[in-house]
Each structure stands twice: as C-alpha cells, then as structure tokens.
C-alpha cells in the first residue's frame, strides 16, 4: 500500500515520504474520495487509450498558490529571475475558502505553494487550518527564512501534514550561489525551530523534507548534506533534479553526473528524458493561482494556458468546460505542440 501510494505521488511531483506521512494521507481517505479517485483514474486510462477527453470526477490533488512573491532571487525561477509576467499578489482567504468548500469532500491532497514563498501570505496558517477542518492532507514547500520559535510553533499548531524545505548547499557560499539573497544559518535555525516545536507540542507533523536541488556547483556536497540532514533531525532528504529552459542554462547549471539530470545534453542541444505513456496531470491535479486563475499544471508558471477563473465561475464549471476538455485532447494527440509540455518528463524521475 505504502509503495503504491508513494509512487503515484512522486510521479506527480508531490512526494509524501515514509510511514508517518502515508498514514496521514490514509486518514484523509473517505469512501467518497476513494470513489472519486477511482473514477478519475479510470477516465484518464480510457482517455489515454482512446486519445480523447474523458473526465469522471474531480482531481484528487489540488494545487493552490498562496502567493507569487518571493524573498529570494533564484536565477532559474520565473519569480526570482524577474520573468514572471503575471501580476504579483497574495491569495485572499475568501478565494481559498471558495475553492476548498466546492471540492473538499472529494479531494485527498492540497499542495499550498507554486511560484513564491508561501509564508509571505500572512494568512497562510489560516489556509492550512481551514483545509484541515475538511480532513484534507496539506503539504507546502518553503525556503524556511521565516521560522523563528513563535512562528515555528504556530506552524505546527496549524496542523500542516508535511513541508518541503529547500536547502541547496551546506555552506553559505554554495547556498547563496543559487538561493540569492538567502541566509543558510537562518534556514538551519528555522529547521531546528520546527523540529523543536514538534517535540515540545508532541506532534509528529509536519513531516519535514529537506530538498536538495542538484546543480553543477553543489553536486559534490550530497554526502555532506546527508550528514547534515541527520543532524538536523528532519524526516527525509529529497534529491531533486533541476529544470532549465535554455541550452545556455543547461550548460551553466546542470550537474556533471547524468544520474542527477532530467535532460540528455549534447554539444548543441538538450532534451528532456521523457517518461512513457500519457501525462496524467490534467486529470489527477490542477493549479489555482493566487488570483483565482486556473491552469492545467504547475509547469504553466505564467498562466499561458489559463482555463478560467474561480472568481468568475465555480471550479467544477471550469474543470468540465470546453476549454479544459480541449487542452486535454490536445495533450493526448499532440503533446509536443504545447511548449511547456516539451520540457516536462511527466513527473517521472524528478526525485531520485
């Protein structure tokens, strides 16, 4: 059971870890949610077989963007590099509540992050606490610059199930080479505060992942990072491959070790190592941006494939509308015609 659930979530780039995290997902399962998941999976399989859009149910995994603003200037991130074309802002609690209320009885898992640092939304812990009243599993990803002792305690009390913490270097020099504007000591102190708060509150959650983005300048630090994460007392280390958009970025950032590349690189070009089969994301998950814009997946960072807005229509109306159906059909029949999909490996092989 654990291996099959973990494999599914890892494919969708929302890894859930080991037994503690899996048990929390299992607690979120109800008969209605299981039936919805079974229906949507079956409809995806039929869609892949017949090459036409069939959708029964709603996505069991819902991605929601609390904010698309960040305190760091990471060069490969559309937010940090200044390539974000969408307006910048923070999601209103009313928008979050509207979406959750509509589908909470059928979704299993919410990821509360996208293009920004989620804890820059001052009501983030309220988002989490509200989702938890619905019995949904909640995960986030953070650069961990905002966890003093009080905030760490409030975070644990919010009920969040798991948290991915970006830690891409074991020295300040290597860390800030990519996490520009970041402070390694602040991150380490924040992690320790979270671990301490869990212990003081006798809480097993949030399940803490440390995520290491492997690049040319830091790939040699993996052994030291494994030692550091043990010392910090986190629950699991994730070694993640890096996404690039251009050949120049591939040459500059991708590690030498092919094991940690999601691309094949030649002297003149680079190409993503694609997984087998159709992409399940537009069936199993979707993304609601901070302003209510609905896009098909997390790879649509600038809203180029906007499918509707929950401030104008209900989520289910958008999910079942002609525009969404057309996107799925296009993905099934001519995936390479969608630019963002040409740089995607279907979520397979991202975590090592």
């Amino acid at each position: 059971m654990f291996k099959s659930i973990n494999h599914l979530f890892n494919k969708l780039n929302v890894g859930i870890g080991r037994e503690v995290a899996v048990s929390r997902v299992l607690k979120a399962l109800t008969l209605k949610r299981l039936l919805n998941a079974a229906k949507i999976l079956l409809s995806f399989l039929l869609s892949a077989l017949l090459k036409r859009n069939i959708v029964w149910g709603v996505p069991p995994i819902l991605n929601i963007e609390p904010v698309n603003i960040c305190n760091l200037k990471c060069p490969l991130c559309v937010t940090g590099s200044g390539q974000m074309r969408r307006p910048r802002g923070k999601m209103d609690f009313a928008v979050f509540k509207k979406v959750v209320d509509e589908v909470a009885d059928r979704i299993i898992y919410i990821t509360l992050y996208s293009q920004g640092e989620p804890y820059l939304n001052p009501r983030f812990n309220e988002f989490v606490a509200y989702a938890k009243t619905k019995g949904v599993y909640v995960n986030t990803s953070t650069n961990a610059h905002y966890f003093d002792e009080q905030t760490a305690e409030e975070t644990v009390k919010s009920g969040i199930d798991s948290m991915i913490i970006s830690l891409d270097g074991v020295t300040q020099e290597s860390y800030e080479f990519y996490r520009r504007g970041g402070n390694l000591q602040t991150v380490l102190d924040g992690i320790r505060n979270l671990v301490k708060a869990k212990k003081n509150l006798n809480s097993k959650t949030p399940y803490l992942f440390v995520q290491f983005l492997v690049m040319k300048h830091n790939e040699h630090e993996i052994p030291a990072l494994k030692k550091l994460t043990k010392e910090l007392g986190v629950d699991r280390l994730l070694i993640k491959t890096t996404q690039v958009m251009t050949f120049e970025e591939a040459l500059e950032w991708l590690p030498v070790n092919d094991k940690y590349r999601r691309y094949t690189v030649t002297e003149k070009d680079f190409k993503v190592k694609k997984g087998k089969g159709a992409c399940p994301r537009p069936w199993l998950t979707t993304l609601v941006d901070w302003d209510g814009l609905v896009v098909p997946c997390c790879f649509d960072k600038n809203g180029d494939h906007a499918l509707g807005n929950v401030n104008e229509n209900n989520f289910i109306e958008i999910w079942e509308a002609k525009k969404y159906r057309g996107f799925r059909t296009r993905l099934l029949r001519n995936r390479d015609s969608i630019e963002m999909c040409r740089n995607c490996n279907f979520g397979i092989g991202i975590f090592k």
Side-chain angles (χ1 to χ4, degrees), residues 114-240:
S114 183
Q115 298 303 310
E117 168 50 47
Y119 285 90
L120 286 175
N121 189 315
R123 301 193 69 177
F124 181 81
N125 282 333
E126 293 178 64
F127 285 17
V128 174
Y130 186 77
K132 292 308 299 177
T133 68
K134 304 294 184 179
V136 179
Y137 185 99
V138 182
N139 167 261
T140 194
S141 180
T142 174
N143 61 50
H145 278 75
Y146 298 98
F147 298 118
D148 56 29
E149 289 189 2
Q150 179 181 345
T151 306
E153 186 171 302
E154 292 170 354
T155 299
V156 175
K157 288 180 177 178
S158 74
I160 191 165
D161 294 284
S162 60
M163 177 184 296
I164 300 168
I165 300 171
S166 297
L167 181 58
D168 305 320
V170 297
T171 67
Q172 176 62 25
E173 181 182 11
S174 62
Y175 176 78
E176 69 177 342
F177 190 83
Y178 181 70
R179 299 286 168 180
R180 295 177 184 176
N183 186 287
L184 177 62
Q185 191 58 53
T186 300
V187 176
L188 297 179
D189 289 344
I191 294 172
R192 293 186 178 104
N193 286 338
L194 286 165
V195 172
K196 180 181 177 181
K198 286 174 61 177
K199 183 177 180 181
N200 290 344
L201 295 169
N202 193 28
S203 176
K204 293 182 178 180
T205 56
Y207 193 92
L208 298 176
F209 300 86
V210 159
Q211 177 179 278
F212 186 76
L213 196 59
V214 187
M215 292 167 278
K216 186 179 293 184
H217 70 278
N218 68 4
E219 61 184 307
H220 66 283
E221 294 184 328
I222 292 177
L225 182 77
K226 291 179 178 179
K227 180 180 179 181
L228 176 60
T229 52
K230 288 182 180 179
E231 293 172 354
L232 290 170
V234 298
D235 297 290
R236 187 182 177 191
L237 170 63
L238 299 174
I239 305 296
K240 187 179 181 182

Side-chain angles (χ1 to χ4, degrees), residues 334-349:
N334 189 9
R335 174 178 177 270
D336 285 341
S337 70
I338 305 172
E339 184 179 359
M340 69 174 182
C341 299
R342 293 198 294 269
N343 192 23
C344 173
N345 57 0
F346 305 94
I348 296 171

Side-chain angles (χ1 to χ4, degrees), residues 7-171:
H7 183 62
L8 170 61
F9 279 80
N10 278 342
K11 276 192 173 186
L12 294 169
N13 196 14
V14 287
I16 59 175
R18 303 188 189 280
E19 287 78 0
V20 174
V22 171
S23 68
R24 300 285 291 190
V25 174
L26 294 177
K27 285 182 180 180
L29 297 180
T30 63
L31 180 58
K32 192 169 186 178
R33 287 170 178 162
L34 283 169
L35 288 174
N36 175 72
K39 288 194 299 181
I40 203 72
L41 279 168
L42 178 58
S43 66
F44 162 66
L45 293 173
L46 288 173
S47 297
L49 180 66
L50 301 175
K51 302 297 182 185
R52 66 183 182 89
N53 174 78
I54 301 170
V55 174
W56 300 323
V58 301
I61 301 169
L62 184 62
N63 301 334
I64 299 178
E65 179 183 70
V67 60
N68 69 341
I69 303 168
C70 193
N71 54 308
L72 303 183
K73 302 293 182 183
C74 306
L76 296 180
C77 171
V78 296
T79 303
S81 65
Q83 298 178 55
M84 175 67 67
R85 298 192 302 274
R86 291 188 283 123
R88 296 177 185 250
K90 303 170 184 178
M91 177 174 280
D92 290 335
F93 184 80
V95 177
F96 176 78
K97 184 177 182 297
K98 180 181 187 290
V99 176
V100 172
D101 285 348
E102 187 178 355
V103 295
D105 61 337
R106 285 175 285 177
I107 62 172
I108 300 169
Y109 192 116
I110 292 177
T111 62
L112 268 176
Y113 66 93
S114 183
Q115 298 303 310
E117 168 50 47
Y119 285 90
L120 286 175
N121 189 315
R123 301 193 69 177
F124 181 81
N125 282 333
E126 293 178 64
F127 285 17
V128 174
Y130 186 77
K132 292 308 299 177
T133 68
K134 304 294 184 179
V136 179
Y137 185 99
V138 182
N139 167 261
T140 194
S141 180
T142 174
N143 61 50
H145 278 75
Y146 298 98
F147 298 118
D148 56 29
E149 289 189 2
Q150 179 181 345
T151 306
E153 186 171 302
E154 292 170 354
T155 299
V156 175
K157 288 180 177 178
S158 74
I160 191 165
D161 294 284
S162 60
M163 177 184 296
I164 300 168
I165 300 171
S166 297
L167 181 58
D168 305 320
V170 297
T171 67

Side-chain angles (χ1 to χ4, degrees), residues 229-337:
T229 52
K230 288 182 180 179
E231 293 172 354
L232 290 170
V234 298
D235 297 290
R236 187 182 177 191
L237 170 63
L238 299 174
I239 305 296
K240 187 179 181 182
T241 58
T242 301
Q243 183 188 24
V244 294
M245 303 302 294
T246 67
F247 181 57
E248 290 72 24
E249 288 178 347
L251 295 179
E252 181 178 0
W253 293 99
L254 294 185
V256 175
N257 190 338
D258 188 65
K259 177 183 178 181
Y260 300 115
R261 289 183 175 187
R262 68 175 80 173
Y263 303 94
T264 299
V265 183
T266 65
E267 292 182 358
K268 298 181 179 180
D269 201 1
F270 73 110
K271 187 176 182 180
V272 70
K273 300 174 182 176
K274 291 183 180 178
K276 296 179 180 179
C279 176
R281 282 176 171 154
W283 283 261
L284 302 185
T285 185
T286 193
L287 172 61
V288 182
D289 288 333
W290 74 268
D291 56 357
L293 199 70
V294 177
V295 296
C297 90
C298 60
F299 272 60
D300 192 0
K301 299 171 184 179
N302 268 307
D304 294 324
H305 300 277
L307 302 165
N309 194 301
V310 296
N311 290 304
E312 301 167 2
N313 300 96
N314 290 334
F315 173 77
I316 300 300
E317 293 173 342
I318 298 168
W319 177 252
E320 296 177 346
K322 181 179 180 180
K323 199 168 186 179
Y324 220 137
R325 297 199 306 269
F327 179 85
R328 295 190 194 97
T329 301
R330 182 182 174 190
L331 180 69
L332 289 166
R333 296 179 179 175
N334 189 9
R335 174 178 177 270
D336 285 341
S337 70

